[in-house]
Structures are given as structure tokens and as C-alpha cells.
Amino acid sequence: KNEVEQSPQNLTAQEGEFITINCSYSVGISALHWLQQHPGGGIVSLFMLSSGKKKHGRLIATINIQEKHSSLHITASHPRDSAVYICAVPRSYSGGGADGLTFGKGTHLIIQP
Amino acid sequence: SAVISQKPSRDICQRGTSLTIQCQVDSQVTMMFWYRQQPGQSLTLIATANQGSEATYESGFVIDKFPISRPNLTFSTLTVSNMSPEDSSIYLCAGQNPGELFFGEGSRLTVL
């Protein structure tokens, strides 16, 4: 069963700063998900990636399959980026996500004006 | 991306009662899952909702406590039965299609 570690758990930064959140997992995967959860509880999928790098606006996600590590970067951070960012991977390699996901504990990000 | 409408968004319930949470998807979904997020914790899988058959439950979760239905590819319900304060959590449904993952808005339950 896959285990997920995220760091840091909490991060407070000033508006405009470059943000990096890290995620490590224990078992080889087909794809990794980065999610954003706002205070109300709703979760939005930001990225699903299986190799290399993806970019969407000010968000960049990278993954190193060999090292079982992924990072989420936010450039020119803004107070509206304040949320919990969660990394998730398939529960097992053979499941490929069909048996659900294992989630990191999340990184609570606060961007101050 | 598909959209899931989940309700209720929140509720306050009395101990011993049951509550049913509904998720309606605006298109057919291959896989549907129910997760629980206890305060300050990450999401934990309760069960996989199987269309037309009994759900597949994870260790620590049983059908009598969390009965699940999925009559078709766009709708699922989770019932939290005989609630106790320990059941106070956010409950989320999630859908997966190849290359796509999406969540309901969550149901925040408080049990008194």
C-alpha cells in the first residue's frame, strides 16, 4: 500500500513569493494528483501527472518517477492561493487508481498581502 | 471535467440518527468513491461504490454503518447510520474517469 509524505505541513509567505510544496510516495505509481482544498471543504483537481512537468497559469507541477517525488510550485503567489494543497497517489501500483487514492496530510498555505 | 453535486453541504445531527448524503454527476463516471476527512486529518477511503452491486468497503468500515448505493453511473448515496459524535467529519464523494478526477463539494456533518 502506498504511503504519502508531504512537506511542509504549514507555510506562511508574503504575496509575490515563490512557493514550493513537496510530496514523496513509497510505491511506484501510474499518476500523481495535486489537489486544492478551500476552507469550505470542496476539493479541486489541479494536476494529474505521470512524468515530467505540467504548467497551468502560475502553478507548476513536476514529478520524478525514479525518486518517487513530486513538487508543486506557485509563482508570484497571491492571497487567493491560500488553501490546503494535497498530494494523492493510487493506493497500489497494480490498482492504478481503480482501488482509490491515498492522500497526503496536506500543506496549509497562507499568503499574506 | 465532470461536475458532482453533493448534498447536503452541512448538517447537524442528533446521536443515534442516520443521514443520507447524495452525489449526482452531470455525466457518466467509471469509478465513484466515498471518502471521510476527520478534523485535521487527510482523506480516508470508506468504500468504492459499484454500479448495480454492493460497495467494496475498506478495513474499518462496514456496510451496516455506511450503506452505499449506486443504482447507475451518475448517482450514488452514502448513509451514515446510528451516528455518534465520532462520525463528525467531512464526507466527500469522488469520481474518476481515465485521466480525470473530480470531487463533490463535501458534506460537513456535526453529530451532537
Side-chain angles (χ1 to χ4, degrees), chain A residues 5 8-9 12 17 25-26 34 43 47 49 55 58 60 68 75 83-84 86 99 105:
Chain A
E5 292 287 335
Q9 286 191 343
T12 300
E17 287 190 37
Y25 52 93
S26 59
W34 280 104
I43 295 176
F47 294 103
L49 67 164
K55 184 175 188 291
R58 294 180 294 103
I60 303 167
K68 299 186 178 65
T75 63
V84 177
I86 303 169
D99 57 350
K105 291 187 176 179

Side-chain angles (χ1 to χ4, degrees), chain A residues 11-42:
Chain A
L11 178 57
T12 300
Q14 296 297 312
E15 183 173 357
E17 287 190 37
F18 182 82
I19 303 299
T20 295
I21 299 169
N22 296 300
C23 174
S24 297
Y25 52 93
S26 59
V27 176
I29 59 170
S30 54
L32 177 145
H33 302 265
W34 280 104
L35 310 168
Q36 181 189 57
Q37 185 172 31
H38 282 281

Side-chain angles (χ1 to χ4, degrees), chain B residues 18-77:
Chain B
S18 299
L19 182 78
T20 296
I21 302 166
Q22 299 182 0
C23 279
Q24 177 72 56
V25 194
D26 65 353
S27 60
Q28 292 187 346
V29 176
T30 305
M31 307 290 296
M32 286 189 77
F33 303 94
W34 285 96
Y35 291 94
R36 181 174 74 181
Q37 186 178 31
Q38 294 182 300
Q41 303 296 314
S42 61
L43 282 77
T44 300
L45 180 65
I46 297 172
T48 302
N50 300 311
Q51 190 256 328
S53 64
E54 190 173 291
T56 304
Y57 289 85
E58 296 305 308
S59 176
F61 298 96
V62 295
I63 188 171
D64 290 345
K65 176 67 175 176
F66 298 101
I68 289 170
S69 77
R70 190 179 175 197
N72 55 52
L73 292 177
T74 63
F75 185 78
S76 181
T77 67

